[in-house]
Amino acid sequence: MSYVSGLFGSAVFNDSVMKERLPKEIYQSLKRTRESGFPLEKHVATVVASVMKDWAVEKGATHFTHWFQPMTGITAEKHNAFISPAPDGKVIMEFSGRELIMGESDASSFPSGGLRATFEARGYTAWDPTSNAYVKEGTLYIPTAFCAYSGEALDQKTPLLRSMQALNFQALRVLRCLGDTTARRVDVTVGPEQEYFLIDKALWERRRDLVYAGRTLFGARPPKGQEMDDHYYGSLKQRVADFMKDVDEELWRLGVFSKTKHNEVAPAQHELAPIFETANISADHNQMTMEMLKKVAGRHGLACLLHEKPFEGINGSGKHDNWSLATDDGRNLFEPTKLPQENISFLLFIAAVMMAVDRFAPLLRLSVATAGNDCRLGANEAPPNIISLFLGDELTEILSAFEQGTEAHNCGREVMEIGVSVLPRLKKDTTDRNRTSPLAFTGNKFEFRMLGSAQSIAWPNVMLNTGVAESLREYADRLENCEDVTQEARSLLRETMRDHKRILFDGNNYSSEWIAEAERRGLPNLPTTVDAIPWLLKPEVAELFERHKVLSASELTSRYEIYLENYIKTIAIEAGTMLEMARREIVPAVIRYTAEVCATKLALKSCEMPSALEDELLGSLSALGGALGSQVALLQSRLDVLPDGDMLCVARYAQTELLPAMSALRGTADALEAVVGVSHWPFPTYGDLLYRL
């Protein structure tokens, strides 16, 4: 057995461990629950708990925790020891079935968006048997859902599981209509690419903005950024390579399929990509990955930045969500055959995505709406705020042929002529990739490129799953009630292309021309989080989510409140941090440097060596220092009157009043950085942060 084979999953209570340790009938019952959704029987939970505890103790565990994902954007855990008192005054190690399947937490201490009052504290965690438990640092981690006393979802996992269930149901209906009698389940599979920055931890500790806000709120651009394109796929610095090696090993031990690692476009930026897994497990593993990146970085004297835009003027970080559908018998529903125009099933599922993206574009936009992602989206580094879909030349031609009732040309795979005889003859894909598209078909999957690097992938996948489930529901209703399934499927393809082709765009999404073209097509443009979040309160949205039993109207309203509250708090924290840094660091530094220049001027004058250089420098310091003082006062005054009341109004105030004042303050401070002597500037510069690793 190789080192990696022995390491991978060694800390995970996975299927092979269960099969080896559980009684056969218990294992089979649990497997039915995991694979088919059968209710878990009480006696099964009791046996599993005992075996799981023994296994975990052998791995060095002394505690267990119900690990869950509240609406904070990060994970939560409360650790309990296995110990119970024994009659002889000692302890025994116990873990019951009830402790496995159910835990209790203070629900009022987590964001609830009004679902829970402060005095209504009870909330429950419920074991998710589809996601494997694991041991980390002496604790058995049990992935769980988190709900209120009333049963309403307070987490990211529960809606994701519900949406997967809804999509599975509707996809199976369509497959049955098309003659597939063998598939028993359709899984949503996801592979999220994770981008991040690494900087020296000692420098990170000297930046209050990085510590409090996760991004630099001040910082002049260095002479060199990413202009030379020399960092992308470049050779790894030894310190980074050592970090990546440790991350891989930690993730492999926990059963995370960490596959790809490389330098990204911006200096100090990197990427990690895993192999596809079911969406629920992929979401869990991505949270584990983000936690591990930060933890391992600390061991190497590094700080890992997951903010969407930690540095102004260079690329931010995203998270590409590669989304697909697969049957339990191994068929990828987005895998084209040699003649995709003859594969009705493949084309129908592609069309279902096309319909969903067009109809529910605002939901996809709001699924990635955060204050941090607002700093990134729409720049020439990330998809715009306008949702569109890229299918490529061949697929677009085939669907257009269905619409027009003509024959589609079979593009096939051409051989690339590289012009060097010793190189292999490569068959190129039937279509190029479009890296500017928010949502692109990339061969056998769709790549949703708008996600922010710090966010959970659960919410965007809830939107994708639910939207596509609705398309498939409408298809299934018609296919189940028609006389000729093939002809009806062709009609569905024709109508979908006719009604929703406006969402297709294969050009440069970064161009200003596309914005005008999208407006002409009637596509929604929601530039900011404040523009996108109100869509959660649309009656048709509540109807959609309630129809598929993914979220109730009250659960949607709670998320509306939570996301706006997070937006407001994020900007308020950033504004407060800027004020503290300006008053306690920048202003004193400017005063000290100004005093030094004045002293130098007097000394030169006494030596009869006057120079206009000091006068010019003092003039710049005086003008910029005065502007800085005025802008500090303005930002403080606007922060002081941050209104209460309607959350949308408060968020809009933060957007229209605080952000412009913050931008003005930053502009002046960054101009001062270029004037003040380097030995006087109070915190590390962009050059220090990006190039001193």
Side-chain angles (χ1 to χ4, degrees), residues 83-86 88-93:
I83 61 172
S84 294
D88 60 359
K90 296 186 178 181
V91 296
I92 56 175
M93 306 291 272

Side-chain angles (χ1 to χ4, degrees), residues 423-477:
L423 295 180
R425 289 167 62 83
L426 304 177
K427 287 187 176 182
K428 65 180 181 180
D429 291 311
T430 55
T431 187
D432 203 351
R433 292 182 63 192
N434 187 336
R435 68 177 301 275
T436 71
S437 177
L439 192 60
F441 182 68
T442 56
N444 59 6
K445 62 186 183 297
F446 286 89
E447 183 180 26
F448 190 20
R449 302 182 63 253
M450 295 179 72
L451 283 70
S453 54
Q455 76 173 108
S456 165
I457 68 171
W459 189 229
N461 282 289
V462 166
M463 296 304 181
L464 275 171
N465 296 347
T466 308
V468 175
E470 176 65 7
S471 298
L472 294 174
R473 181 191 70 84
E474 295 184 13
Y475 286 179
D477 285 349

